[in-house]
Amino acid sequence: MTSDSNLSSRITLLGGEMLTWSDLDRTKGTGPFASPLVVPVLTQLMNQSTKALIAGPHAPWLLERFAENVGSLDVVVRSWPDAHALNLRLNGKPVRIYCGAFEKLAVEENQYDVVMALDGIPRLFAADSVDLPWAETVAMLRRLVKPGGHLVLGVGNAMGLDQLLDADASVKPAADDQWPTSTDADVKPPPGLNAVKAVLAANELVVREHYAVFPRASKTSLMVHEHTLAGSEGDEVLSILASSAFANGMGDKPVLTDPRRLAREMVRHGMGMQLAPGWLFVTQVADPAGETATAAPEQTGLEAENEAIQSAARQAAEASGSVGFPDALITDNLEHPYWAVVLELGRDAEGSWHRDLIDVGRSTHVRAAGHLQREPAKLIGRVPGGTLLEERFLTACRHDDLNALRRLVRGYAEWLHDQAEFAAWKDPWSSDAAGVSERLVVPGGAVFATFENVMLDGDKHELLDASWSTTLQIPYEIALTRALRRFGYRVLAGGLRHPWPNGMSPNRLTVTLASMVGVTVTPHLLERSARLEVELEGQQRNNTEVGDQQLYFELQTMGEQPMGTEPGQPRGYREALATVGQLSTELSEAQNQIEWLDATVQLREDQLRRERKISADIKNSMSFAIGNSLTTPFRAIFKMFRPVFRAMNPAAADRDRKK
């Protein structure tokens, strides 16, 4: 294809275009950082006079959002289908689209205020491009930025926690979007965070802001600033957020171990930045005429220069009253954006976390669908302190502490019971039109008070996310059964240690936990809790009727079967090995008991045979024969007069009649 050929006024062909390839089709995802979290960070670098360049595949809706905040936007993609789709979607916006290999982009240097490559380096080049080292490509991007401008770069971490958790990462073939032509050029980022920063510094790029992204760059639900993670040792809130991000982000992929546990420990031990799946660098090119060149690297070092720029940026943000660069950003429901909420998290001087809403899309709006409601405003304010209730339960399970489990179940049940009130209730899943009775009903928000959404601080229980509610009236017993059942699935599906026999089903574990608070879980109660789960999950997923039926079938069948025997999310390999070891131990103990019982039975049989032999020897002896012949007349006389003796003893006669 000839270079500089124009198909339209908006698309320029560079050469090396990939005519049938797409980086953004459904099989390859939606592009890097396809998350609303980057919007409040990157839009601060833009205004109506900004000239921006975005290199590589990015989510189309993200490009559309950036196009609304800049004076002009240039986009470089290697795929013709992607370029054509963007041309249609960005119609009417100040956008020019370049299609082809990035190294063929012939534009003047130092002309862009902002250059973004959120996807990093590998997918900038076409199939027939000559491989360029990662550092050289960064230098190419840097030459396009004006002095004082910004280069925003996404970098994947080959030793990120997502890679460590992936059970088949080392045996999978190379991705179909990478075509290395030589082993001499290393197109991947240098190993380690410090090595990446060294390459940026060598290209005279000062790191202004630096975020760690979780759980994957292609599915970012949590972004944490570097200075926040630096002091995160022992932080419960960040560890809970990271744990939840990995639990939701790993999907159904086989894992080496429980992602929630490892993500939590990663943050609590201060390794969040080093083990982050990816990093987002907001760098700035030093401007000799501006303030960014005031710090001298040879006198203060790169770290002092970075800190000076970050401090100046924060002071400017505070002076202007703008949001500035937040300590952390979090979102949820990436698969179902209708319910998504974007939150900024900040930590005060006392170390307490506070939440505030970020207006991205409908993030701040109240939403409702069917009986389900969400009020994001309820998330504003202090983040509840303490420890996640689920974590307290799992700790007690790991130590086989049944007393602690009883206390936790009773405390949770009392807290849930105290919120309930007597009200007229009609079973929404019953066909009986007249079936109205007075029951103890919990509020709509308390229905979502499951173990993974409750913080425990001493004896105080508090909802972590209080924005969800339902208009359904749910009796206390059904709400309690649902919460216990979800925890049962969590323990058994994850292959986690617990003090009960192996091979238990979630339903049986639910019955056991409920008995600790005197609640009898019947099959009818289990069925109603499954229907409630379908109602809540189905609305969140926007399920069809078929989807609801499938979810209900899975809950019912999986609830009755021992976990591990049914298809579903694979448990971690480490937990599987631990379970095999525990089963082997129990089998060995059972085998020892069987052997002891066999030995005991054999001993009793030997004793019985000896007693029988002694009895036979006595009966065959001469003394026994003489004694028997002498006592025979007396036995005959006694047998003859026995009725007379019975008649003379009424008590003995009554006993004979009863017999």
Side-chain angles (χ1 to χ4, degrees):
M1 189 73 63
T2 305
S3 178
D4 296 329
S5 297
N6 292 316
L7 282 180
S8 70
S9 60
R10 294 164 54 87
I11 300 180
T12 301
L13 300 182
L14 302 174
E17 308 87 13
M18 302 174 66
L19 299 180
T20 60
W21 177 267
S22 174
D23 286 308
L24 297 177
D25 63 11
R26 294 183 179 181
T27 62
K28 302 178 185 64
T30 56
F33 293 91
S35 166
L37 296 185
V38 297
V39 174
V41 173
L42 300 183
T43 52
Q44 297 184 66
L45 308 176
M46 307 173 185
N47 54 52
Q48 293 303 317
S49 62
T50 300
K51 186 175 182 181
L53 169 71
I54 296 183
H58 292 70
W61 69 266
L62 192 59
L63 299 179
E64 189 175 16
R65 183 64 182 260
F66 290 154
E68 298 171 352
N69 291 274
V70 298
S72 66
L73 177 65
D74 291 348
V75 179
V76 182
V77 292
R78 62 183 181 178
S79 163
W80 163 247
D82 293 345
H84 181 65
L86 291 175
N87 184 31
L88 297 176
R89 179 156 186 167
L90 301 177
N91 186 30
K93 300 185 183 301
V95 177
R96 292 184 301 180
I97 300 174
Y98 295 91
C99 181
F102 177 72
E103 75 273 12
K104 299 180 182 292
L105 180 65
V107 296
E108 296 181 3
E109 297 183 358
N110 303 328
Q111 67 163 305
Y112 292 103
D113 300 298
V114 177
V115 173
M116 296 185 189
L118 301 185
D119 195 39
I121 301 303
R123 293 202 291 179
L124 292 178
F125 302 106
D128 56 353
S129 297
V130 177
D131 290 339
L132 294 177
W134 189 87
E136 186 173 336
T137 308
V138 171
M140 293 175 59
L141 292 169
R142 183 254 179 263
R143 288 193 291 269
L144 300 176
V145 185
K146 292 180 180 178
H150 296 89
L151 171 62
V152 182
L153 187 64
V155 181
N157 183 8
M159 284 297 291
L161 189 59
D162 60 331
Q163 299 295 324
L164 298 178
L165 287 170
D166 195 348
D168 57 353
S170 60
V171 297
K172 289 187 299 188
D176 195 26
D177 56 0
Q178 299 178 18
W179 309 275
T181 59
S182 173
T183 57
D184 297 332
D186 193 355
V187 297
K188 296 182 178 180
L193 180 59
N194 293 333
V196 174
K197 288 184 175 181
V199 172
L200 298 177
N203 286 279
E204 299 179 350
L205 291 168
V206 179
V207 179
R208 181 178 175 186
E209 308 293 339
H210 179 200
Y211 283 89
V213 299
F214 307 94
R216 298 197 302 267
S218 59
K219 191 177 182 181
T220 303
S221 60
L222 176 64
M223 289 175 52
V224 187
H225 202 285
E226 181 180 25
H227 70 76
T228 303
L229 276 176
S232 63
E233 291 86 347
D235 190 287
E236 285 293 333
V237 173
L238 271 186
S239 64
I240 291 170
L241 298 179
S243 175
S244 177
F246 274 94
N248 297 326
M250 294 303 293
D252 294 335
K253 298 175 61 176
V255 293
L256 291 177
T257 188
D258 181 21
R260 301 192 191 195
R261 167 75 45 187
L262 200 57
R264 183 176 184 272
E265 295 304 318
M266 170 192 70
V267 175
R268 293 183 71 247
H269 286 80
M271 297 297 293
M273 185 58 66
Q274 289 76 10
L275 295 180
W279 302 296
L280 179 66
F281 290 94
V282 180
T283 67
Q284 190 170 19
V285 177
D287 185 359
E291 296 180 356
T292 57
T294 56
E298 63 272 14
Q299 297 177 356
T300 62
L302 181 60
E303 294 182 357
E305 185 176 3
N306 290 343
E307 180 60 30
I309 292 179
Q310 294 177 16
S311 176
R314 285 192 288 269
Q315 293 175 3
E318 293 174 359
S320 62
S322 62
V323 175
F325 291 95
D327 292 339
L329 290 161
I330 186 171
T331 186
D332 56 7
N333 289 278
L334 288 177
E335 300 293 340
H336 313 285
Y338 175 78
W339 298 105
V341 171
V342 181
L343 294 170
E344 174 192 348
L345 290 94
R347 192 163 49 186
D348 56 24
E350 288 75 21
S352 299
W353 285 92
H354 297 267
R355 295 179 291 203
D356 198 6
L357 290 174
I358 299 292
D359 189 6
V360 178
R362 59 171 67 90
S363 176
T364 60
H365 300 168
V366 176
R367 276 147 286 174
H371 59 79
L372 198 61
Q373 298 177 351
R374 192 171 198 191
E375 300 178 58
K378 291 185 177 180
L379 294 169
I380 299 175
R382 181 187 64 86
V383 178
T387 308
L388 196 66
L389 181 61
E390 182 185 72
E391 188 61 33
R392 296 286 293 273
F393 270 93
L394 293 177
T395 301
C397 286
R398 285 199 308 274
H399 294 87
D400 296 340
D401 193 346
L402 290 175
N403 291 328
L405 284 169
R406 291 188 187 97
R407 289 194 300 270
L408 290 170
V409 173
R410 290 169 183 170
Y412 171 78
E414 291 175 1
W415 172 68
L416 192 63
H417 187 277
D418 291 342
Q419 300 178 66
E421 296 181 353
F422 281 100
W425 178 73
K426 180 184 180 301
D427 191 344
W429 305 292
S430 174
S431 59
D432 186 5
V436 178
S437 61
E438 190 175 13
R439 298 284 296 274
L440 198 61
V441 176
V442 299
V447 176
F448 295 87
T450 50
F451 292 179
E452 70 274 14
N453 192 33
V454 175
M455 299 291 289
L456 180 60
D457 190 359
D459 294 330
K460 180 183 178 182
H461 296 76
E462 192 171 357
L463 275 173
L464 180 62
D465 183 353
S467 63
W468 294 95
S469 182
T470 179
T471 57
L472 290 174
Q473 287 188 310
I474 304 301
Y476 159 75
E477 293 85 357
I478 296 180
L480 177 64
T481 302
R482 173 178 176 258
L484 297 177
R485 198 184 199 196
R486 285 176 66 94
F487 176 70
Y489 275 106
R490 165 80 173 99
V491 172
L492 299 178
L496 305 179
R497 180 176 175 82
H498 57 77
W500 300 285
N502 281 294
M504 288 191 75
S505 66
N507 285 352
R508 184 59 191 167
L509 183 54
T510 303
V511 173
T512 302
L513 291 172
S515 65
M516 296 179 179
V517 292
V519 175
T520 302
V521 176
T522 62
H524 176 76
L525 198 54
L526 288 169
E527 192 269 342
R528 285 297 184 259
S529 68
R531 288 190 179 275
L532 174 60
E533 191 73 37
V534 171
E535 289 285 348
L536 301 180
E537 291 289 333
Q539 288 288 351
Q540 291 180 357
R541 302 179 187 179
N542 194 24
N543 273 353
T544 62
E545 184 177 354
V546 175
D548 285 346
Q549 292 175 355
Q550 182 179 0
L551 178 59
Y552 175 75
F553 175 78
E554 292 175 357
L555 290 173
Q556 288 296 86
T557 55
M558 292 173 63
E560 296 294 340
Q561 298 177 2
M563 297 302 286
T565 62
E566 75 293 330
Q569 179 176 352
R571 61 176 53 175
Y573 181 63
R574 179 180 296 175
E575 285 77 21
L577 290 179
T579 302
V580 170
Q582 187 175 359
L583 288 172
S584 300
T585 301
E586 293 181 4
L587 181 61
S588 177
E589 293 175 353
Q591 185 65 35
N592 291 336
Q593 290 179 352
I594 292 173
E595 292 176 358
W596 178 83
L597 289 174
D598 285 341
T600 303
V601 170
Q602 186 64 39
L603 179 63
R604 296 294 188 269
E605 288 180 350
D606 292 342
Q607 291 177 346
L608 183 59
R609 281 195 297 268
R610 286 196 299 269
E611 296 296 335
R612 287 176 177 174
K613 185 177 183 302
I614 293 173
S615 178
D617 292 342
I618 291 175
K619 288 182 179 181
N620 295 328
S621 66
M622 182 61 68
S623 59
F624 179 82
I626 295 172
N628 186 45
S629 62
L630 292 175
T631 58
T632 297
F634 296 101
R635 289 199 304 273
I637 294 172
F638 180 79
K639 186 175 181 180
M640 182 185 303
F641 287 98
R642 184 174 183 177
V644 178
F645 295 150
R646 290 289 182 184
M648 295 172 62
N649 189 351
D654 291 340
R655 286 197 297 269
D656 289 342
R657 284 194 297 269
K658 291 180 180 179
K659 291 181 179 179

